[in-house]
Amino acid sequence: MSNERVPSLRIRTPEGIGFSLLLAGPFVRFLAMLVDAACIACATSVLSTVLHFFAIISLDFAKALFIVGGFLLSVGYGISFEWFWRGQTLGKRLFRLRVMDGQCLHLQFGQVVIRNLVRTLDMFPVLYLLGGAVCFLSGRSQRLGDIAAGTIVVRTPAVAPPNLESLSNHKYNSLRQYRRQGLQLRRTVSGEEASIALRAVLRRDEMAPEARCVFFAELADYFRSRVPFPPEASEGLSDESFVRNVLDIVYASPDPARSKDRPR
Amino acid sequence: MIADMDRFIAEETSCWKELEAVLDRMDRDVAFRMDSAGVRRFHYLYQRTSSDLARIGSFAADPELRSYLDSLVARGFSEVHEPRRLRGGFSPSAWFFRTFPSTFRRHIRAFALAAAVTLLGGVFGAVTLHMDRADKEILLPFEHLLGSPAERVAREERMVNENLARGKLTFSGYLMTHNTRVAISCLALGLTFGIGTLIFLFYNGVILGAVVFDYFAAGKVAFLFGWLLPHGVIEIPAILIAGQGGFVLAGALLGRSDGLPLGERFRLVWTDLATLMGGVALLLVWAGLVEALFSQYHEPVLPYSLKIGFGIAELAALTLFLALGGAAAQKTPGGRNV
């Protein structure tokens, strides 16, 4: 099930495998840019403090170093970080963003340079208004620098394979005794329906207790309406346990020999 | 029918985790290189994970699992499918002495356009000032250029030692960074279909033309050349090369009749643009040093003939460098640009 509200870029590999990249919108990119601007300001401040010592030797030399150093920091920060950190600056790393080639290939140094140089135009007239507007209107959330360099900025949320172990907790599943209904359940429940229930189970602790009860009651009623089990099958079962047992049947093997939840 | 998902995850997780660990290491360590066995293993893990993604694709499986596999395959894809040359050894001297001039020559028509627009602006500035001297205040937005050239020359020649006693390095740093910012803007304005770059270069030419005419009309030719040539012969071509980059960018945007999509057209020029801009930055560092440490010394400290001679020598060296640099490597069979 894809989240239609999140803009994404679909890439198809030569082997015919399709995968999606979540595109970062202008707002989160602006936040990352603010962090980067703060980092540059801090680095400039440090540079200024260090150069105070040079001023003892030569004020002229210290001022010249400050001017050149400040310029190199402002222009070189984005280029060097994005090159050495594979498309990430400190701000982007904090917000889990990454600059990538538009075709998902390696970033080339020329791309990194161009997207950072065209930043001058994106910043026009103030606070990245032009770049932000272009990013907002662009189908791939690209500012002018991204368009010129053929880059995109993607979100890289921390993801891990789902842990289905938590579904049954190795407890007895009373629904498994009803093989006919079990097979019917596997046949009629769609992947999308099952994934909604699975997400509810995996994220149960994020819900308020009352909301959780109501939500699982609705889910249980829905599954009961799809495949009616005898009343004794769910006797003494909470709605949440019923949904867990349904998922256990839907996701796990129909082969009782491999099932870890056989009646004991 | 939904797959036996828990078994599927249990069987494949170790493979996904192994691939994830390799990708994490690649992210952390830029210098990380695999041996041939490692590459084969990585390729196997990538293919197996891709296959898993394809398998769950037909089952409308759990979105978290899909996101996880999407993320792994996307990261692996850029490592496996890379038809372009990867990061190799970079030689700064080979880049500057060979790649930069040969890139310049490759886009010589864009440079010619930049030079023509600046020249046109120069002629416009000179003619406008010739027709009405009152336009000087409009054409020259610099206070030190608004007065009479004769008065300025007399003042500079009289006060030269006092003016040069302090602040030379600061002035030099300011010139380097200011001019580089200007050059970056000139290049970036290429994204306005070249119109911004065109206006920028034309206006630059207008100022230059007006200044030259003003000093010519006042009979201060030696001072003018002695003042402008030492740094101008590097600074002005550097800005023209930035304009060349702007026009190359505009050319990619406009596309002409090559039939390639926009992204591909940009893809063909971004390395050249980065090279041109890098070369421009280095030229402007030199120009900044010369302007601050040499150009501001006038007679009687330095004879104008020496300054003009130095400027001409620089121009000749720059011309030879841009015309011939890297040419031998291009002509040699198998010779390649670094």
Side-chain angles (χ1 to χ4, degrees), chain B residues 32-274:
Chain B
F32 174 62
R33 294 284 180 274
M34 286 181 276
D35 57 15
S36 59
V39 170
R40 275 197 298 273
R41 179 72 184 161
F42 175 73
H43 190 239
Y44 165 75
L45 292 171
Y46 165 74
Q47 285 195 318
R48 187 162 160 181
T49 307
S50 298
S51 158
D52 291 340
L53 179 61
R55 282 170 68 190
I56 67 156
S58 58
F59 298 135
D62 173 58
E64 283 185 10
L65 177 61
R66 184 188 293 277
S67 300
Y68 178 67
L69 294 183
D70 264 348
S71 137
L72 285 183
V73 173
R75 291 170 68 192
F77 177 80
S78 67
E79 302 296 338
V80 173
H81 295 280
E82 179 52 76
R84 299 170 299 188
R85 190 164 57 86
L86 293 178
R87 306 170 194 190
F90 174 74
S91 161
S93 62
W95 169 81
F96 183 70
F97 290 106
R98 294 213 291 263
T99 309
F100 171 51
S102 55
T103 304
F104 166 80
R105 290 195 300 276
R106 200 161 43 247
H107 301 286
I108 192 70
R109 284 195 295 182
F111 179 81
L113 177 60
V117 171
T118 305
L119 193 65
L120 201 66
V123 171
F124 178 83
V127 170
T128 307
L129 199 61
H130 175 64
M131 289 169 67
D132 187 357
R133 304 286 292 180
D135 287 343
K136 192 172 171 180
E137 284 186 22
I138 302 166
L139 294 175
L140 301 177
F142 305 106
E143 201 179 333
H144 66 287
L145 295 176
L146 286 178
S148 152
E151 285 173 14
R152 185 191 169 204
V153 171
R155 191 175 60 248
E156 294 275 349
E157 290 180 349
R158 195 172 56 247
M159 299 175 65
V160 67
N161 292 329
E162 295 163 41
N163 286 344
L164 297 176
R166 7 173 233 279
K168 303 309 299 172
L169 291 173
T170 306
F171 184 45
S172 176
Y174 166 76
L175 290 170
M176 286 175 205
T177 55
H178 171 76
N179 289 340
T180 307
R181 278 185 212 280
V182 166
I184 289 171
S185 300
C186 185
L187 183 140
L189 282 168
L191 270 186
T192 58
F193 296 95
I195 295 167
T197 304
L198 200 103
I199 293 170
F200 185 96
L201 291 172
F202 185 81
Y203 182 59
N204 230 20
V206 169
I207 295 171
L208 197 62
V211 170
V212 170
F213 175 80
D214 199 25
Y215 279 75
F216 256 89
K220 299 295 177 186
V221 179
F223 175 87
L224 175 75
F225 284 139
W227 164 49
L228 279 186
L229 281 185
H231 65 274
V233 294
I234 302 295
E235 186 181 297
I236 294 167
I239 296 296
L240 292 181
I241 294 172
Q244 173 188 26
F247 288 136
V248 170
L249 193 57
L253 188 62
L254 291 167
R256 295 181 295 187
S257 55
D258 49 15
L260 291 171
L262 181 65
E264 285 303 312
R265 296 199 299 268
F266 279 135
R267 197 172 285 275
L268 291 175
V269 299
W270 67 51
T271 304
D272 287 355
L273 293 176

Side-chain angles (χ1 to χ4, degrees), chain A residues 15 19 60 64 83-84 86 98 101 103-106 111 117 147 149 199 203 251 253 258 260, chain B residues 4-7 26-27 30 63-64 70 78-79 81-82 84 87 168-170 264 266 270 277:
Chain A
E15 297 92 345
F19 61 86
D60 185 28
W83 177 239
F84 289 111
R86 292 176 172 237
R98 186 186 289 275
D101 176 81
Q103 296 180 357
C104 206
L105 301 175
H106 262 283
Q111 285 177 286
L117 293 186
I147 293 170
R199 288 169 77 88
R203 295 182 174 179
Y251 277 119
S253 166
R258 286 203 299 104
K260 55 186 176 292
Chain B
D4 181 354
M5 195 62 81
D6 62 345
R7 184 184 174 202
M26 285 174 169
D27 273 355
V30 178
E64 283 185 10
D70 264 348
S78 67
E79 302 296 338
H81 295 280
E82 179 52 76
R84 299 170 299 188
R87 306 170 194 190
K168 303 309 299 172
L169 291 173
T170 306
E264 285 303 312
F266 279 135
W270 67 51
M277 200 58 230

Side-chain angles (χ1 to χ4, degrees), chain A residues 61-74:
Chain A
F61 183 55
K63 277 185 180 173
L65 276 184
F66 181 72
I67 291 170
V68 175
F71 174 75
L72 288 177
L73 276 173
S74 65

